[in-house]
Amino acid sequence: MTPTAPDLRTEVQHFFDDFVAAFSAFSGPRIAERYGAPYVAVDARGAWRRFHTDGETGDYFQQVVMQYHGQGCRSCRFCDLEVQALGPSGALATVTWELLREDASVLSTWRESYTLVRGEDGRLAVAASVDHAG
C-alpha cells in the first residue's frame, strides 16, 4: 500500500531523524545503511561521485564525518523539510542541514535534496543526493 501524503511526510521525517542519530556515532558505515547501492552524490559545483557498493559509500561517509569532527562538529540537525511523492516507489526530499559544535552553535549549513527509493523490504533508501549551489 502506498503511504498517503501525510504518512509519507512522517516516514521521511523519521528517516532523517534516524539519519541524525546515525550521524551522532560518526560512523560512515552506520550512515551508509540509509543508502542504496549504487548511490550518486552531486556536490554544489555539480561534480558527480558514484558509489557502487555499500562499502564504498561507508568509506566515503567515514571520510566526511572525520573531516567534520576535525572542524569541531559534534552533531547535526535538519530543518525546512520538503517532501514530494514519487509515486509508490519513494520521494524527493529536501532539507537544510546544520552542523553543530559542542555548544550547539552552528558550524555550517547547506541545503540538500535526496531521491529516496523504497526497497524490496519497504524501507526508504537514498539513491542520489544533490547539494544545492550556495
mmCIF file of all heavy atoms in Angstrom, residues 31-67:
data_model
loop_
_atom_site.group_PDB
_atom_site.id
_atom_site.type_symbol
_atom_site.label_atom_id
_atom_site.label_comp_id
_atom_site.label_asym_id
_atom_site.label_seq_id
_atom_site.Cartn_x
_atom_site.Cartn_y
_atom_site.Cartn_z
ATOM 1 N N ILE A 31 26.050 5.354 8.819
ATOM 2 C CA ILE A 31 25.324 6.320 7.988
ATOM 3 C C ILE A 31 24.946 5.672 6.658
ATOM 4 O O ILE A 31 23.817 5.818 6.180
ATOM 5 C CB ILE A 31 26.172 7.590 7.766
ATOM 6 C CG1 ILE A 31 26.335 8.356 9.085
ATOM 7 C CG2 ILE A 31 25.533 8.483 6.696
ATOM 8 C CD1 ILE A 31 27.377 9.452 9.045
ATOM 9 N N ALA A 32 25.890 4.921 6.075
ATOM 10 C CA ALA A 32 25.672 4.299 4.764
ATOM 11 C C ALA A 32 24.535 3.289 4.765
ATOM 12 O O ALA A 32 24.007 2.962 3.691
ATOM 13 C CB ALA A 32 26.964 3.652 4.284
ATOM 14 N N GLU A 33 24.101 2.812 5.919
ATOM 15 C CA GLU A 33 22.980 1.875 5.992
ATOM 16 C C GLU A 33 21.694 2.490 5.438
ATOM 17 O O GLU A 33 20.767 1.773 5.097
ATOM 18 C CB GLU A 33 22.744 1.424 7.435
ATOM 19 C CG GLU A 33 23.845 0.564 7.984
ATOM 20 C CD GLU A 33 23.681 0.274 9.460
ATOM 21 O OE1 GLU A 33 22.673 0.697 10.076
ATOM 22 O OE2 GLU A 33 24.590 -0.380 10.028
ATOM 23 N N ARG A 34 21.644 3.797 5.323
ATOM 24 C CA ARG A 34 20.467 4.502 4.822
ATOM 25 C C ARG A 34 20.542 4.765 3.321
ATOM 26 O O ARG A 34 19.697 5.436 2.753
ATOM 27 C CB ARG A 34 20.306 5.834 5.558
ATOM 28 C CG ARG A 34 19.780 5.634 6.951
ATOM 29 C CD ARG A 34 20.654 6.349 7.978
ATOM 30 N NE ARG A 34 20.336 5.828 9.291
ATOM 31 C CZ ARG A 34 20.939 4.778 9.854
ATOM 32 N NH1 ARG A 34 21.879 4.150 9.229
ATOM 33 N NH2 ARG A 34 20.588 4.355 11.041
ATOM 34 N N TYR A 35 21.555 4.243 2.671
ATOM 35 C CA TYR A 35 21.812 4.495 1.252
ATOM 36 C C TYR A 35 21.740 3.198 0.468
ATOM 37 O O TYR A 35 22.077 2.131 0.980
ATOM 38 C CB TYR A 35 23.195 5.137 1.075
ATOM 39 C CG TYR A 35 23.212 6.563 1.567
ATOM 40 C CD1 TYR A 35 23.190 6.835 2.926
ATOM 41 C CD2 TYR A 35 23.219 7.628 0.680
ATOM 42 C CE1 TYR A 35 23.172 8.143 3.387
ATOM 43 C CE2 TYR A 35 23.208 8.933 1.139
ATOM 44 C CZ TYR A 35 23.173 9.187 2.489
ATOM 45 O OH TYR A 35 23.145 10.476 2.954
ATOM 46 N N GLY A 36 21.314 3.326 -0.781
ATOM 47 C CA GLY A 36 21.302 2.174 -1.669
ATOM 48 C C GLY A 36 22.630 2.046 -2.378
ATOM 49 O O GLY A 36 23.491 2.916 -2.294
ATOM 50 N N ALA A 37 22.803 0.921 -3.047
ATOM 51 C CA ALA A 37 23.976 0.725 -3.904
ATOM 52 C C ALA A 37 23.450 0.310 -5.277
ATOM 53 O O ALA A 37 22.677 -0.644 -5.359
ATOM 54 C CB ALA A 37 24.893 -0.337 -3.329
ATOM 55 N N PRO A 38 23.761 1.058 -6.291
ATOM 56 C CA PRO A 38 24.687 2.192 -6.296
ATOM 57 C C PRO A 38 24.037 3.463 -5.736
ATOM 58 O O PRO A 38 22.821 3.549 -5.623
ATOM 59 C CB PRO A 38 25.014 2.375 -7.781
ATOM 60 C CG PRO A 38 23.786 1.888 -8.485
ATOM 61 C CD PRO A 38 23.255 0.759 -7.623
ATOM 62 N N TYR A 39 24.887 4.413 -5.394
ATOM 63 C CA TYR A 39 24.473 5.721 -4.876
ATOM 64 C C TYR A 39 25.259 6.781 -5.626
ATOM 65 O O TYR A 39 26.452 6.608 -5.888
ATOM 66 C CB TYR A 39 24.743 5.794 -3.365
ATOM 67 C CG TYR A 39 24.855 7.187 -2.794
ATOM 68 C CD1 TYR A 39 23.801 8.094 -2.874
ATOM 69 C CD2 TYR A 39 26.032 7.604 -2.178
ATOM 70 C CE1 TYR A 39 23.918 9.368 -2.352
ATOM 71 C CE2 TYR A 39 26.149 8.879 -1.645
ATOM 72 C CZ TYR A 39 25.090 9.752 -1.733
ATOM 73 O OH TYR A 39 25.211 11.016 -1.225
ATOM 74 N N VAL A 40 24.581 7.894 -5.982
ATOM 75 C CA VAL A 40 25.223 9.005 -6.687
ATOM 76 C C VAL A 40 25.104 10.260 -5.821
ATOM 77 O O VAL A 40 24.013 10.600 -5.353
ATOM 78 C CB VAL A 40 24.561 9.259 -8.058
ATOM 79 C CG1 VAL A 40 25.144 10.493 -8.720
ATOM 80 C CG2 VAL A 40 24.696 8.042 -8.960
ATOM 81 N N ALA A 41 26.232 10.940 -5.609
ATOM 82 C CA ALA A 41 26.267 12.209 -4.883
ATOM 83 C C ALA A 41 26.736 13.295 -5.842
ATOM 84 O O ALA A 41 27.714 13.107 -6.566
ATOM 85 C CB ALA A 41 27.227 12.117 -3.702
ATOM 86 N N VAL A 42 26.035 14.419 -5.833
ATOM 87 C CA VAL A 42 26.413 15.567 -6.655
ATOM 88 C C VAL A 42 26.652 16.736 -5.707
ATOM 89 O O VAL A 42 25.767 17.093 -4.922
ATOM 90 C CB VAL A 42 25.319 15.919 -7.688
ATOM 91 C CG1 VAL A 42 25.756 17.078 -8.563
ATOM 92 C CG2 VAL A 42 24.946 14.692 -8.536
ATOM 93 N N ASP A 43 27.858 17.329 -5.784
ATOM 94 C CA ASP A 43 28.159 18.443 -4.885
ATOM 95 C C ASP A 43 27.638 19.758 -5.460
ATOM 96 O O ASP A 43 27.093 19.803 -6.574
ATOM 97 C CB ASP A 43 29.644 18.504 -4.524
ATOM 98 C CG ASP A 43 30.556 18.894 -5.673
ATOM 99 O OD1 ASP A 43 30.107 19.509 -6.662
ATOM 100 O OD2 ASP A 43 31.764 18.594 -5.566
ATOM 101 N N ALA A 44 27.790 20.832 -4.716
ATOM 102 C CA ALA A 44 27.237 22.135 -5.103
ATOM 103 C C ALA A 44 27.861 22.708 -6.374
ATOM 104 O O ALA A 44 27.274 23.563 -7.023
ATOM 105 C CB ALA A 44 27.396 23.128 -3.956
ATOM 106 N N ARG A 45 29.041 22.210 -6.760
ATOM 107 C CA ARG A 45 29.674 22.655 -8.007
ATOM 108 C C ARG A 45 29.225 21.832 -9.203
ATOM 109 O O ARG A 45 29.618 22.103 -10.334
ATOM 110 C CB ARG A 45 31.193 22.562 -7.888
ATOM 111 C CG ARG A 45 31.803 23.456 -6.817
ATOM 112 C CD ARG A 45 33.241 23.083 -6.636
ATOM 113 N NE ARG A 45 33.283 21.613 -6.559
ATOM 114 C CZ ARG A 45 34.126 20.905 -5.853
ATOM 115 N NH1 ARG A 45 35.059 21.494 -5.180
ATOM 116 N NH2 ARG A 45 34.076 19.604 -5.812
ATOM 117 N N GLY A 46 28.470 20.757 -8.923
ATOM 118 C CA GLY A 46 27.992 19.893 -9.988
ATOM 119 C C GLY A 46 28.859 18.672 -10.236
ATOM 120 O O GLY A 46 28.605 17.907 -11.167
ATOM 121 N N ALA A 47 29.877 18.452 -9.410
ATOM 122 C CA ALA A 47 30.740 17.280 -9.568
ATOM 123 C C ALA A 47 30.011 16.033 -9.049
ATOM 124 O O ALA A 47 29.418 16.056 -7.974
ATOM 125 C CB ALA A 47 32.049 17.474 -8.807
ATOM 126 N N TRP A 48 30.079 14.947 -9.835
ATOM 127 C CA TRP A 48 29.431 13.681 -9.504
ATOM 128 C C TRP A 48 30.411 12.734 -8.819
ATOM 129 O O TRP A 48 31.577 12.678 -9.188
ATOM 130 C CB TRP A 48 28.978 12.977 -10.767
ATOM 131 C CG TRP A 48 27.859 13.576 -11.516
ATOM 132 C CD1 TRP A 48 27.701 14.885 -11.859
ATOM 133 C CD2 TRP A 48 26.749 12.888 -12.066
ATOM 134 N NE1 TRP A 48 26.560 15.039 -12.593
ATOM 135 C CE2 TRP A 48 25.958 13.815 -12.739
ATOM 136 C CE3 TRP A 48 26.365 11.548 -12.076
ATOM 137 C CZ2 TRP A 48 24.788 13.463 -13.392
ATOM 138 C CZ3 TRP A 48 25.200 11.203 -12.721
ATOM 139 C CH2 TRP A 48 24.427 12.160 -13.362
ATOM 140 N N ARG A 49 29.889 11.957 -7.887
ATOM 141 C CA ARG A 49 30.617 10.836 -7.300
ATOM 142 C C ARG A 49 29.664 9.647 -7.335
ATOM 143 O O ARG A 49 28.509 9.768 -6.957
ATOM 144 C CB ARG A 49 31.005 11.097 -5.859
ATOM 145 C CG ARG A 49 32.132 12.065 -5.721
ATOM 146 C CD ARG A 49 32.556 12.102 -4.284
ATOM 147 N NE ARG A 49 33.908 12.598 -4.236
ATOM 148 C CZ ARG A 49 34.576 12.772 -3.129
ATOM 149 N NH1 ARG A 49 34.036 12.471 -1.983
ATOM 150 N NH2 ARG A 49 35.789 13.239 -3.166
ATOM 151 N N ARG A 50 30.174 8.512 -7.804
ATOM 152 C CA ARG A 50 29.371 7.299 -7.868
ATOM 153 C C ARG A 50 29.962 6.262 -6.921
ATOM 154 O O ARG A 50 31.164 6.016 -6.942
ATOM 155 C CB ARG A 50 29.368 6.746 -9.294
ATOM 156 C CG ARG A 50 28.685 7.643 -10.268
ATOM 157 C CD ARG A 50 28.963 7.174 -11.711
ATOM 158 N NE ARG A 50 28.495 8.150 -12.687
ATOM 159 C CZ ARG A 50 29.209 9.172 -13.131
ATOM 160 N NH1 ARG A 50 30.430 9.374 -12.690
ATOM 161 N NH2 ARG A 50 28.699 10.015 -14.002
ATOM 162 N N PHE A 51 29.094 5.653 -6.144
ATOM 163 C CA PHE A 51 29.499 4.613 -5.201
ATOM 164 C C PHE A 51 28.743 3.347 -5.568
ATOM 165 O O PHE A 51 27.518 3.326 -5.547
ATOM 166 C CB PHE A 51 29.214 5.059 -3.765
ATOM 167 C CG PHE A 51 29.865 6.376 -3.446
ATOM 168 C CD1 PHE A 51 29.153 7.566 -3.547
ATOM 169 C CD2 PHE A 51 31.195 6.436 -3.082
ATOM 170 C CE1 PHE A 51 29.754 8.782 -3.283
ATOM 171 C CE2 PHE A 51 31.812 7.657 -2.816
ATOM 172 C CZ PHE A 51 31.090 8.828 -2.918
ATOM 173 N N HIS A 52 29.478 2.302 -5.894
ATOM 174 C CA HIS A 52 28.867 1.092 -6.432
ATOM 175 C C HIS A 52 28.519 0.060 -5.366
ATOM 176 O O HIS A 52 27.713 -0.833 -5.622
ATOM 177 C CB HIS A 52 29.790 0.477 -7.485
ATOM 178 C CG HIS A 52 30.034 1.409 -8.630
ATOM 179 N ND1 HIS A 52 29.109 1.636 -9.612
ATOM 180 C CD2 HIS A 52 31.083 2.206 -8.922
ATOM 181 C CE1 HIS A 52 29.576 2.522 -10.477
ATOM 182 N NE2 HIS A 52 30.775 2.895 -10.075
ATOM 183 N N THR A 53 29.131 0.187 -4.189
ATOM 184 C CA THR A 53 28.885 -0.784 -3.118
ATOM 185 C C THR A 53 28.604 -0.057 -1.802
ATOM 186 O O THR A 53 28.957 1.116 -1.630
ATOM 187 C CB THR A 53 30.094 -1.709 -2.912
ATOM 188 O OG1 THR A 53 31.189 -0.924 -2.392
ATOM 189 C CG2 THR A 53 30.507 -2.408 -4.210
ATOM 190 N N ASP A 54 28.006 -0.805 -0.885
ATOM 191 C CA ASP A 54 27.785 -0.251 0.461
ATOM 192 C C ASP A 54 29.106 0.134 1.109
ATOM 193 O O ASP A 54 29.198 1.151 1.803
ATOM 194 C CB ASP A 54 27.061 -1.271 1.338
ATOM 195 C CG ASP A 54 25.667 -1.611 0.846
ATOM 196 O OD1 ASP A 54 25.051 -0.784 0.139
ATOM 197 O OD2 ASP A 54 25.188 -2.717 1.164
ATOM 198 N N GLY A 55 30.136 -0.670 0.871
ATOM 199 C CA GLY A 55 31.451 -0.387 1.450
ATOM 200 C C GLY A 55 32.041 0.916 0.951
ATOM 201 O O GLY A 55 32.614 1.687 1.725
ATOM 202 N N GLU A 56 31.909 1.184 -0.354
ATOM 203 C CA GLU A 56 32.402 2.453 -0.909
ATOM 204 C C GLU A 56 31.662 3.627 -0.287
ATOM 205 O O GLU A 56 32.271 4.643 0.058
ATOM 206 C CB GLU A 56 32.217 2.486 -2.427
ATOM 207 C CG GLU A 56 33.146 1.599 -3.198
ATOM 208 C CD GLU A 56 32.870 1.614 -4.692
ATOM 209 O OE1 GLU A 56 31.999 2.391 -5.151
ATOM 210 O OE2 GLU A 56 33.523 0.843 -5.419
ATOM 211 N N THR A 57 30.341 3.479 -0.132
ATOM 212 C CA THR A 57 29.540 4.554 0.469
ATOM 213 C C THR A 57 29.951 4.766 1.918
ATOM 214 O O THR A 57 30.119 5.907 2.370
ATOM 215 C CB THR A 57 28.039 4.239 0.365
ATOM 216 O OG1 THR A 57 27.694 4.025 -1.008
ATOM 217 C CG2 THR A 57 27.190 5.370 0.916
ATOM 218 N N GLY A 58 30.150 3.683 2.655
ATOM 219 C CA GLY A 58 30.574 3.789 4.054
ATOM 220 C C GLY A 58 31.931 4.451 4.194
ATOM 221 O O GLY A 58 32.142 5.288 5.079
ATOM 222 N N ASP A 59 32.868 4.078 3.314
ATOM 223 C CA ASP A 59 34.205 4.705 3.340
ATOM 224 C C ASP A 59 34.113 6.201 3.064
ATOM 225 O O ASP A 59 34.787 7.013 3.715
ATOM 226 C CB ASP A 59 35.126 4.055 2.315
ATOM 227 C CG ASP A 59 35.511 2.628 2.674
ATOM 228 O OD1 ASP A 59 35.300 2.202 3.833
ATOM 229 O OD2 ASP A 59 36.030 1.930 1.770
ATOM 230 N N TYR A 60 33.275 6.570 2.099
ATOM 231 C CA TYR A 60 33.084 7.988 1.761
ATOM 232 C C TYR A 60 32.557 8.758 2.972
ATOM 233 O O TYR A 60 33.105 9.797 3.351
ATOM 234 C CB TYR A 60 32.130 8.113 0.581
ATOM 235 C CG TYR A 60 31.593 9.505 0.360
ATOM 236 C CD1 TYR A 60 32.414 10.523 -0.108
ATOM 237 C CD2 TYR A 60 30.259 9.809 0.626
ATOM 238 C CE1 TYR A 60 31.926 11.803 -0.303
ATOM 239 C CE2 TYR A 60 29.765 11.084 0.419
ATOM 240 C CZ TYR A 60 30.595 12.076 -0.040
ATOM 241 O OH TYR A 60 30.111 13.337 -0.235
ATOM 242 N N PHE A 61 31.515 8.224 3.596
ATOM 243 C CA PHE A 61 30.942 8.934 4.740
ATOM 244 C C PHE A 61 31.878 8.937 5.942
ATOM 245 O O PHE A 61 31.865 9.880 6.729
ATOM 246 C CB PHE A 61 29.554 8.394 5.095
ATOM 247 C CG PHE A 61 28.490 8.939 4.188
ATOM 248 C CD1 PHE A 61 27.845 8.111 3.305
ATOM 249 C CD2 PHE A 61 28.171 10.280 4.195
ATOM 250 C CE1 PHE A 61 26.883 8.604 2.439
ATOM 251 C CE2 PHE A 61 27.220 10.795 3.335
ATOM 252 C CZ PHE A 61 26.567 9.952 2.456
ATOM 253 N N GLN A 62 32.713 7.927 6.073
ATOM 254 C CA GLN A 62 33.689 7.944 7.165
ATOM 255 C C GLN A 62 34.653 9.113 6.977
ATOM 256 O O GLN A 62 34.974 9.821 7.936
ATOM 257 C CB GLN A 62 34.448 6.621 7.243
ATOM 258 C CG GLN A 62 35.307 6.529 8.483
ATOM 259 C CD GLN A 62 34.467 6.568 9.761
ATOM 260 O OE1 GLN A 62 33.493 5.848 9.882
ATOM 261 N NE2 GLN A 62 34.857 7.402 10.711
ATOM 262 N N GLN A 63 35.116 9.334 5.757
ATOM 263 C CA GLN A 63 35.984 10.479 5.480
ATOM 264 C C GLN A 63 35.265 11.795 5.769
ATOM 265 O O GLN A 63 35.839 12.708 6.367
ATOM 266 C CB GLN A 63 36.443 10.462 4.029
ATOM 267 C CG GLN A 63 37.385 9.345 3.687
ATOM 268 C CD GLN A 63 37.683 9.266 2.200
ATOM 269 O OE1 GLN A 63 37.217 10.075 1.406
ATOM 270 N NE2 GLN A 63 38.466 8.276 1.814
ATOM 271 N N VAL A 64 34.010 11.882 5.372
ATOM 272 C CA VAL A 64 33.235 13.110 5.571
ATOM 273 C C VAL A 64 33.066 13.410 7.054
ATOM 274 O O VAL A 64 33.335 14.527 7.507
ATOM 275 C CB VAL A 64 31.859 13.018 4.865
ATOM 276 C CG1 VAL A 64 30.947 14.162 5.279
ATOM 277 C CG2 VAL A 64 32.030 12.998 3.355
ATOM 278 N N VAL A 65 32.618 12.416 7.839
ATOM 279 C CA VAL A 65 32.372 12.692 9.260
ATOM 280 C C VAL A 65 33.659 12.961 10.024
ATOM 281 O O VAL A 65 33.665 13.761 10.960
ATOM 282 C CB VAL A 65 31.518 11.596 9.949
ATOM 283 C CG1 VAL A 65 30.115 11.549 9.370
ATOM 284 C CG2 VAL A 65 32.190 10.245 9.917
ATOM 285 N N MET A 66 34.769 12.343 9.615
ATOM 286 C CA MET A 66 36.035 12.636 10.279
ATOM 287 C C MET A 66 36.484 14.065 9.971
ATOM 288 O O MET A 66 37.025 14.749 10.844
ATOM 289 C CB MET A 66 37.103 11.620 9.892
ATOM 290 C CG MET A 66 36.797 10.193 10.389
ATOM 291 S SD MET A 66 36.232 10.078 12.113
ATOM 292 C CE MET A 66 37.639 10.695 12.985
ATOM 293 N N GLN A 67 36.252 14.505 8.741
ATOM 294 C CA GLN A 67 36.559 15.893 8.385
ATOM 295 C C GLN A 67 35.690 16.845 9.210
ATOM 296 O O GLN A 67 36.198 17.812 9.781
ATOM 297 C CB GLN A 67 36.325 16.115 6.898
ATOM 298 C CG GLN A 67 36.574 17.539 6.460
ATOM 299 C CD GLN A 67 36.242 17.757 4.983
ATOM 300 O OE1 GLN A 67 35.808 16.853 4.278
ATOM 301 N NE2 GLN A 67 36.437 18.964 4.522
#
